[in-house]
Amino acid sequence: MKKLLSALLILAMLSGLILGGCSKSATTGTGKVLKVGYLGDMSWPATVDAIHNMDVYKDMYDKKGGLVIGGEKYTIDFILYDTKGDQATSMAALNKLIFEDKVKFILSDFTPLSDAWVPVTEANKVIYSCQGVSPALFNPNNRYTFETGGLPSAAVCAPAWYAKNNPNVKTGLLASPDTQMGHMGAGDATAIMGSFGITVTDIFYPANQSDLSSLGTQVTKAKPPMVMCQGGGPTVDSLAQKAIYNAGWRGPFFTAPPSTYIQMAAVTPPDVLEGQIISGEPGEFDPALTPASKEFKEAFIAKIGKWSGERLGMATWEAVLAACQKAGTVDDTTRIADVIGNGLKYSGVAGDYIMTSRMDQGNSRTCCVAQQLYMKKIVNGKPEMIGTWSAEESKSILDSYFVKK
């Protein structure tokens, strides 16, 4: 009976998350409430991880008595809505957040739907802090829109690091799902790798197909010096790697977007992962590499029961928090936007960050984040750090790449 009641309680909590609320933690603070919206496709495991992360973050600060911003104490209320990967659904949720929930800050996962959101958030002076690579995010006319998830940073800096440390690799193959996001990611990855001297050939495999043996056959016949699988998220990319390995491939894999060993190992056998080079996060190492990642990892395990290794959702929130604290307000979004857009530097669970401009899009404001880079190699079934760049070094690489584009 106790097990049944526990299971029902967990299901009830998850239902509350999916329907748009946030889980309620005990609040020790007596101050105001800071409402923050989040739009994500709940069918993505990474989005569910992001929700867990925000719930843990809220719990951490509730136990500390809340946040202090501009001399006022706040508790956090993350208001979560499922976009279902659908434009109409996402627009309805966006409007609800702005006009009914009255949020001044909206976060999101990586999604092609965001292009339609930006005109609405901009017109209503709502800070939109997100992860993405769409040019619409970096339009020089935007004042309240910022890429703070670090996706462009990892997408550019990890290949730069790989090319520098593997000078003999001049060609490679990129396997991506035949979806809009898959093609978007492949186009960017091919251009980025090429800029650092590695010519990549694209292969697109059918989406939502469990049997990827034909992909494995294509790769083994091509015999490239290196293989990349990305554009489908950690689970889909891992399934592609597994199919390629099962077809007989024994060459090196390289993954640019941060993917944790725990996520990949849930799908991919250890033999497939062994020796892979992947960009990572300080919290996935044991012990965690930074005080912030150590604190969050311990809080996550205490609340959720098991470390997922993924900190998605954290970076977009940490940028907002840092800007509010520096601006000394949660109400004046213009002042907060100016803080982010003028070279904000801050630290978070995944390391150090510094905002930078996107001159390739004609945007001189710092609308895109450069993130500290951690590179790992899987050795004996565990992630082993093999290199790092500071946020300033990542910024230098990003700035140079965007100028050359």
Side-chain angles (χ1 to χ4, degrees), residues 259-270:
S259 297
T260 68
Y261 177 78
I262 290 177
Q263 287 178 313
M264 300 177 79
V267 178
T268 311

Side-chain angles (χ1 to χ4, degrees), residues 7-24 38 40 42 48 51-52 54-55 77-82 84 96 101:
L8 290 174
L9 178 60
I10 292 171
L11 286 172
M13 290 173 66
L14 289 175
S15 296
L17 287 172
I18 293 173
L19 290 173
C22 66
S23 64
K24 302 300 182 182
Y38 184 87
M42 305 292 182
V48 176
I51 292 170
H52 285 155
M54 286 184 283
D55 198 35
D77 183 12
F78 289 115
I79 304 173
L80 314 166
Y81 290 112
D82 187 356
K84 302 184 185 301
K96 194 170 191 300
D101 299 317

Side-chain angles (χ1 to χ4, degrees), residues 332-354:
D332 189 343
T333 56
T334 298
R335 190 195 310 176
I336 296 166
D338 287 343
V339 167
I340 305 175
N342 283 281
L344 177 66
K345 297 181 182 180
Y346 56 101
S347 296
V349 170
D352 296 331
Y353 299 84
I354 182 171

Side-chain angles (χ1 to χ4, degrees), residues 284-307:
E284 68 177 300
F285 299 95
D286 192 15
L289 301 180
T290 67
S293 62
K294 182 176 184 293
E295 179 187 20
F296 183 79
K297 186 174 184 177
E298 290 175 350
F300 191 100
I301 293 172
K303 187 172 183 65
I304 306 300
K306 183 179 180 181
W307 176 240

Side-chain angles (χ1 to χ4, degrees), residues 30 76 138 226 277 291 298 305 336:
T30 57
I76 310 170
F138 310 114
M226 174 270 292
I277 295 176
E298 290 175 350
I336 296 166

